[in-house]
Amino acid sequence: MRILLAASEVFPLVKTGGLADVAGALPLALKRLGADVRLLMPGYPAALEAATHRRIVADLGDHLGSGPARLIEGRLGDSKVPLLLIDCPRLYARPGNPYLGPDGADWPDNPRRFGLLGFTAARLCMDESLTGWRPDILHGHDWQCGLAPAYLSAWGGVRPATVFTIHNIAYQGVFDPSWLDFLELPERMMSVAGLEYYASISFLKAGCWYSDKITTVSPTYAREIQMPLQGCGLEGLLRGRAADLSGILNGIDDAIWNPAKDSYLTHRYKPGDMLGKARNKTALQRELGLPMRPDRLLMAVISRLNDHKGMDLVIHCLPDLLMHHHCQFAGLGSGSAAFETGFKELADHHSHHMALHIGYSEPLAHRIMAGADVFLMPSRAEPCGLTQMYALKYGTLPIVGATGGLIDTVADTERGGPKGAGSGFVLEETTPKALTSAVLRASALFKDKVEWNRIAAANAGLDFSWGQSARQYLDLYSSLLRSRGGA
Ligand code: ADP
């Protein structure tokens, strides 16, 4: 089966969030299952530099007013997965974050930048002369790839089957309708039965409307986005397409998130080895300047700092937990000024119990995951969430909001869950009171070392591998091809 995956960020080349982890790991897992998979992404400077075995494969010409563009083929790291990069300096040769300028605002030409991504994905599906290869399946990820199936629909002809994955419905790529012309899409698509969204253009809606199948990254989120609370205005469309919508949990990359092989740790340990983990706790406390007390419950956050992630609840609860309940806290993240300031003020007041690193640090993220006792993720919305799965693997008990993929991956130690045995703590509601109560439950259980270690060791054996998720994607692709064959 030939599969073209398209995404706007891919780990380890360019990453701002979980999408990059998925786009980096899924193609490798599909390849291991025997699929002929290729990956398409914009040729940001970091991606062009990091791709190995680079060569120019096609001149893409000048489309959508983007200036001259070429298609460069490389490899994703050491893997055999071909990586196709759209080398279009006018659109992509910019520093830093793929979506935002240095002022923190979206690049004003994002419709063109990601329009070209969808346009090129669609061309690769229809024009074999570009690479000598044509996919059976086009699998686009998030709004940045939403226009690809729209172009295929506009152009007509024999096209591959299309799958579109929503990683977070809150990000929709909504732009002024005047862009339609620049994007070389027909006027008729600017309709409710098309990519129109409240008189604007929505790239995400285009992906949902024109793809054969829609997936999202957990079964619970697939249900939630059909409801007004989480549907962000697309709930009606998604309910109408319920038969084509499913949830497939993301996996975690065992080569990167595995305490036994983790090169960022001074003390590597086998998943479930709680003595090995204890050494990492001491090392982390030393590194962060916290008292090296094994008996203190060390809580951690590694996150974007915003209220989707429930970080206001963490800020609210921390003083009481640090001052009156003998907890420690290690925080790593960045976000809006208000959240960063909120955390910094707490860190100034509670420097003896709390360490904070504002920014992005892959090494520190790994060491925090290995050293902490509990991982706080009181999200209000969480399509899948990866960090709670890393926590489970690293023997760190997650405390999570009752939403999306968190429900599908964490079972409460008192109430159980879909996977049966309890693995962490699930908030009863998304309030400061519920978060404090969950931390206090964790703190009480933490005193029972035998039971705590038993749960943590059992968690480390749970299977969140990409192999499992990739098999579900392959089944979906196969059923889609079968249904098209039969049509
Ligand atoms: P989301 O994609 O919504 O941000 P996920 O839990 O799905 O949340 O994935 C977040 C990913 O980003 C994880 O790999 C996590 O380790 C990483 N991450 C988030 N913030 C930071 C940070 N400040 N430093 C290092 N890694 C981070």
Side-chain angles (χ1 to χ4, degrees):
M1 193 185 301
R2 292 181 300 267
I3 303 154
L4 178 64
L5 260 104
S8 58
E9 51 182 276
V10 176
F11 183 85
L13 308 175
V14 177
K15 166 171 165 175
T16 70
L19 166 63
D21 291 324
V22 176
L26 178 60
L28 305 188
L30 289 169
K31 174 105 195 154
R32 278 195 291 275
L33 294 177
D36 175 2
V37 51
R38 296 179 191 202
L39 184 58
L40 175 73
M41 76 178 289
Y44 314 110
L48 285 168
E49 221 168 90
T52 54
H53 305 87
R54 286 184 305 264
R55 68 186 178 96
I56 300 168
V57 287
D59 182 352
L60 293 173
D62 178 351
H63 291 275
L64 316 187
S66 62
R70 303 177 304 178
L71 192 66
I72 298 200
E73 188 183 304
R75 287 276 184 276
L76 188 57
D78 302 330
S79 79
K80 294 212 163 58
V81 173
L83 175 68
L84 300 166
L85 294 159
I86 307 167
D87 179 28
C88 180
R90 195 185 296 167
L91 296 190
Y92 305 129
R94 301 178 191 180
N97 183 296
Y99 317 114
L100 312 176
D103 56 356
D106 290 345
W107 293 111
D109 57 349
N110 274 348
R112 182 173 277 135
R113 297 174 73 234
F114 298 108
L116 188 69
L117 177 60
F119 184 84
T120 309
R123 279 182 77 194
L124 292 172
C125 292
M126 302 303 285
D127 184 354
E128 194 165 346
S129 71
L130 287 171
T131 58
W133 181 91
R134 257 178 75 156
D136 306 305
I137 299 280
L138 169 65
H139 185 172
H141 293 263
D142 263 354
W143 72 262
Q144 294 86 352
C145 299
L147 291 194
Y151 284 113
L152 290 175
S153 167
W155 298 341
V158 182
R159 57 174 187 81
T162 49
V163 176
F164 180 68
T165 296
I166 303 170
H167 292 260
N168 192 335
I169 201 164
Y171 300 95
Q172 302 202 345
V174 174
F175 303 106
D176 193 84
S178 57
W179 277 102
L180 197 69
D181 208 23
F182 293 99
L183 293 168
E184 297 176 20
L185 284 165
E187 194 66 34
R188 66 179 156 80
M189 287 194 155
M190 190 59 197
S191 98
V192 177
L195 43 76
E196 187 267 350
Y197 178 78
Y198 297 101
S200 294
I201 294 175
S202 163
F203 279 39
L204 191 83
K205 185 185 167 197
C208 294
W209 185 265
Y210 291 105
S211 294
D212 298 320
K213 292 282 178 194
I214 308 163
T215 72
T216 186
V217 288
S218 69
T220 297
Y221 195 61
R223 287 190 295 278
E224 288 173 345
I225 58 178
Q226 295 179 51
M227 261 102 71
L229 190 63
Q230 303 251 19
C232 298
L234 289 179
E235 61 275 8
L237 188 168
L238 293 169
R239 261 200 313 277
R241 297 215 54 196
D244 295 318
L245 168 65
S246 58
I248 298 179
L249 268 180
N250 290 332
I252 60 175
D253 192 337
D254 190 57
I256 295 161
W257 287 97
N258 179 347
K261 300 182 201 158
D262 192 327
S263 56
Y264 295 122
L265 306 186
T266 5
H267 309 290
R268 289 182 207 153
Y269 60 102
K270 287 214 180 76
D273 165 15
M274 297 307 283
L275 277 175
K277 179 168 172 65
R279 295 167 74 200
N280 283 275
K281 176 170 177 179
T282 310
L284 181 68
Q285 287 169 322
R286 183 184 299 113
E287 175 179 353
L288 299 180
L290 294 170
M292 289 186 273
R293 297 275 306 259
D295 59 324
R296 295 289 195 239
L297 184 79
L298 176 48
M299 309 178 291
V301 156
I302 303 165
S303 181
R304 293 184 287 122
L305 306 178
N306 61 30
D307 47 41
H308 269 304
K309 297 281 182 190
M311 288 299 124
D312 50 317
L313 308 185
V314 177
I315 290 178
H316 195 283
C317 297
L318 271 181
D320 179 44
L321 294 171
L322 298 177
M323 285 191 308
H324 303 125
H325 298 286
H326 310 296
C327 296
Q328 295 180 336
F329 178 78
L332 167 64
S334 59
S336 65
F339 278 97
E340 292 189 0
T341 309
F343 274 103
K344 276 185 203 155
E345 282 174 3
L346 284 178
D348 290 343
H349 275 93
H350 303 280
S351 56
H352 197 58
H353 308 292
M354 166 168 173
L356 178 71
H357 181 97
I358 295 289
Y360 190 92
S361 167
E362 200 72 31
L364 186 56
H366 284 247
R367 289 199 289 274
I368 290 179
M369 204 50 99
D373 298 304
V374 291
F375 186 73
L376 307 184
M377 206 169 174
S379 307
R380 294 191 164 82
E382 197 62 71
C384 175
L386 293 171
T387 36
Q388 82 281 9
M389 294 191 262
Y390 303 154
L392 292 166
K393 180 102 185 188
Y394 277 63
T396 307
L397 268 54
I399 296 183
V400 302
T403 186
L406 300 177
I407 295 181
D408 297 330
T409 50
V410 179
D412 193 275
T413 48
E414 282 174 15
R415 299 189 295 273
K419 290 214 175 203
S423 55
F425 306 88
V426 182
L427 303 197
E428 287 187 11
E429 50 183 19
T430 319
T431 59
K433 195 166 159 237
L435 177 57
T436 299
S437 141
V439 173
L440 295 184
R441 281 202 290 136
S443 176
L445 188 65
F446 182 63
K447 296 193 175 79
D448 181 350
K449 278 285 156 298
V450 175
E451 181 60 1
W452 184 272
N453 288 349
R454 185 195 64 74
I455 294 171
N459 290 352
L462 294 172
D463 181 7
F464 293 115
S465 66
W466 264 110
Q468 187 164 264
S469 312
R471 263 187 294 278
Q472 292 182 53
Y473 279 110
L474 269 187
D475 287 348
L476 178 75
Y477 303 151
S478 306
S479 72
L480 189 49
L481 292 179
R482 271 199 308 275
S483 67
R484 279 165 58 104

